[in-house]
């Protein structure tokens, strides 16, 4: 049956002058509607100028009723394009479309557009209809329910429109309604396409709806979907993994494989492998690798990249190198991501020579380094203090057209600051801003910290103030740097005020923040205040570190309470915290000043045993302790005599 004949069924259902048993006035009204529909049809079909068409239609708009709309849409001489234009005209005129374009009118329009293969136009109207309810509060379920009640629409049209409606619900995150459409369509023996189901799964994943994602996937399986693609299974597994439910994801994969519903591929296994690596779960990693081998799934480049990350993150750079060599032996084509990963990890292990060799090898294999590759190597050479090499890499990046980003500029500036080359860092900031790259909070923190280390306190404060003026919100590091500046200037009252103001601004002080104040109070011989801050630190769930204890030990030694300093020293060791050179220097100096040479030398031996290198202060203190010890011995002899 043709679509025109189907639409004539609807036309014939409308009351006519010959069959109507209504009153004379009702018949006249119907004749007027027929005439109006005829006039609008004539305008739409014969007017060649769109402005002229709109002007004529505008004068008729107040008289347009649902009956007129139905008469127009069902008329075979009105082509779908004109019907769509008429719909948009009423919408643009803010016409009360709920009275002229009811649900049935929409479906008739969809049918005509479908026959003309105007699928994008259907989706546009459906999107408006579902997202805004189009003034008559029509839910997706109501649309599909009404669609199935009308026996004059072709089954193919019904199925395809339902599928499009399902996608529109997914796009608009109307998940509950999407489920309703799916269940209703399945109940009628029709099918929602698997790729449309995949669209909903993607939308659920983006929203972090792991439970809904799994629930709908199981609904797909239960409904006997002809073919569930492995991509759908992998997406659900990835969603579960991102929620930390890795075991649940593993069980789902095993279940689907054992029942022969979906066979996992390398992407599926890689998703689980990556999740176990992120958790540093050795057993899980081994289980996935074993399953891949048992099922004959060949490791992909991504698999090897994940394994490189696994070994390196566990501190086994040798294991990462073995995986890299295995790829080479198996003639697996390595990409820029594998090389970038190897370069990054070698740089983290301070193996700059190996990282540089890998970088050169890339060029030999015509693998073009990207911004991440350059960023990893620049970070490595900067941390190694090789700023000349970093500058060469930066110039090379620009010459090859690789985009410079804020991370690389920050890395370079940090490298300069750590070398005391603050002016070069400030010069680089100017270059960065000329390129249109706006500095972030890390940029300003790096510069302020660098200025602070060189005792250029006013410039450091100005840098942080400029950051705030430019709308960059300070973080904990920014506030800590400000506190450090005031501490160095001896303005502890202002430092304390900033410390308390952090909490009001929703910034939680970290260990470094507390240590900065504890050190300042200790050096000012306000040891009791420093101990109060340590207690507050513990109450906030922060654990004192070697710097906390070193500052307190130093403070106690300054005020002559060496016994208290020794108690702190022993407490530190009992907590498994190893003292550094500054810790031993402080406690040895304190003991030496009181002439406790034996204890001082004992700590010196302990210091050497831990591989720490004493500085001149330690030797000076030890020599002084011997003099004090001899002097005390002479005094005791004189008193005896």
């Amino acid at each position: 049956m043709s679509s025109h004949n189907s639409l004539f069924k609807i036309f014939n259902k409308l009351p006519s002058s010959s069959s109507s048993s209504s009153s004379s006035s009702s018949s006249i009204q119907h004749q007027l509607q027929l005439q109006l529909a005829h006039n609008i049809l004539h305008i739409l079909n014969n007017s060649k100028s769109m402005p002229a068409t709109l002007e004529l239609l505008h004068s008729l708009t107040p008289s347009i009723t649902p009956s007129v709309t139905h008469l127009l849409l069902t008329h075979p001489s009105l082509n779908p394009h004109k019907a769509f234009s008429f719909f948009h005209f009423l919408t643009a005129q803010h016409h009360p479309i709920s009275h002229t374009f009811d649900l049935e009118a929409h479906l008739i329009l969809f049918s005509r557009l479908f026959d003309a293969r105007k699928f994008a136009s259907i989706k546009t109207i459906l999107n408006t209809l579902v997202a805004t309810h189009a003034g008559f509060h029509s839910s997706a379920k109501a649309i599909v329910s009404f669609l199935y009640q009308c026996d004059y629409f072709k089954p193919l049209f019904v199925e395809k429109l339902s599928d499009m409606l399902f996608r529109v619900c997914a796009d608009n995150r109307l998940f509950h309604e999407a489920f309703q459409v799916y269940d209703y369509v399945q109940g009628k023996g029709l099918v929602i396409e698997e790729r449309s189901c995949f669209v909903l799964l993607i939308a659920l994943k983006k929203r972090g709806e792991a439970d809904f994602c799994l629930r709908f996937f199981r609904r797909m399986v239960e409904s006997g979907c002809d073919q569930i693609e492995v991509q759908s299974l992998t997406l659900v597994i990835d969603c579960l993994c991102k929620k930390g439910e890795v075991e649940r994801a593993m069980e789902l994969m095993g279940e689907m494989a054992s029942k022969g519903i979906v066979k996992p591929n390398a992407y599926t296994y890689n998703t689980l492998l990556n999740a176990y690596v992120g958790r540093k779960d050795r057993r899980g990693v081994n289980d996935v690798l074993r399953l891949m081998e048992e099922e004959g799934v060949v490791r992909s480049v991504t698999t090897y990249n994940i394994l490189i990350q696994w070994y390196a993150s566990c501190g086994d750079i040798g294991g990462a190198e073995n995986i890299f060599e295995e790829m080479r032996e198996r003639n697996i084509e390595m990409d820029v991501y594998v090389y970038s990963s190897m370069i990054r990890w070698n740089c983290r292990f301070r193996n700059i020579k190996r990282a540089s060799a890998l970088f050169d090898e890339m060029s030999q294999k015509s693998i073009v380094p990207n911004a991440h590759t350059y960023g990893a190597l620049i970070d490595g050479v900067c941390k190694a203090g090789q700023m000349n090499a970093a500058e060469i890499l930066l110039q090379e990046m620009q010459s090859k057209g690789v985009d410079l980003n804020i991370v690389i500029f920050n890395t370079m500036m940090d490298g300069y600051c750590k070398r005391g080359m603050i002016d070069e860092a400030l010069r680089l900031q100017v270059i960065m801003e000329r390129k249109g790259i706006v500095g972030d909070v890390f940029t300003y923190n790096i510069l302020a910290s660098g200025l602070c280390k060189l005792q250029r306190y006013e410039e450091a404060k100005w840098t942080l103030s400029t950051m705030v003026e430019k709308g960059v919100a300070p973080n904990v590091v920014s506030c800590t740097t400000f506190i450090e500046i005031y501490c160095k200037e001896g303005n502890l009252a202002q430092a304390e005020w900033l410390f308390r103001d952090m909490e009001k601004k929703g910034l939680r002080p970290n260990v470094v923040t507390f240590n900065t104040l504890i050190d300042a109070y200790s050096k000012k011989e306000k040891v009791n205040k420093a101990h109060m801050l340590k207690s507050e630190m513990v109450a906030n769930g922060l654990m004192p570190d070697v710097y906390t204890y070193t500052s307190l030990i130093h403070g106690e030694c300054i005020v002559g309470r060496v016994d208290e300093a020794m108690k702190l020293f022993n407490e530190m060791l009992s907590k498994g915290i190893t003292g550094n050179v500054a810790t031993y220097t402080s406690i040895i100096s304190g003991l030496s000043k009181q002439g406790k040479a034996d204890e001082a030398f004992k700590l010196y031996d302990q210091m050497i045993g831990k591989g720490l290198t004493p500085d001149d202060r330690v030797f000076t203190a030890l020599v002084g302790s011997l003099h004090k010890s001899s002097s005390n011995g002479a005094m005791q002899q004189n008193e005896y005599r």
Side-chain angles (χ1 to χ4, degrees), residues 166-185:
F166 177 82
R167 283 203 188 198
V168 167
C169 288
D171 291 339
N172 286 280
R173 297 177 178 176
L174 299 171
F175 302 132
H176 183 67
E177 295 213 321
F179 288 179
Q180 287 182 329
V181 172
Y182 186 85
D183 290 340
Y184 201 93
V185 171

Side-chain angles (χ1 to χ4, degrees), residues 624-639:
S625 71
L626 291 173
H627 286 296
K628 280 189 175 289
S629 180
S630 300
S631 175
N632 288 338
M635 285 177 64
Q636 288 173 1
Q637 283 184 348
N638 288 333
E639 287 175 3

Side-chain angles (χ1 to χ4, degrees), residues 431-454:
I431 294 172
M432 180 184 80
E433 290 176 349
R434 283 177 184 168
K435 289 184 176 290
I437 300 174
V438 181
D440 57 14
V441 66
F442 303 103
T443 311
Y444 290 101
N445 286 344
I446 288 165
L447 293 172
S449 179
L451 288 163
C452 186
K453 285 176 183 176
L454 295 175

Side-chain angles (χ1 to χ4, degrees), residues 66 137 289 298 369 375 507 629:
H137 307 291
L289 293 175
V298 179
L507 296 172
S629 180

Side-chain angles (χ1 to χ4, degrees), residues 280-293:
K280 294 191 181 297
D281 187 336
R282 185 176 298 275
R283 182 177 177 182
V285 169
N286 291 334
D287 285 345
V288 174
L289 293 175
R290 177 181 50 78
L291 282 171
M292 288 182 75
E293 190 173 347

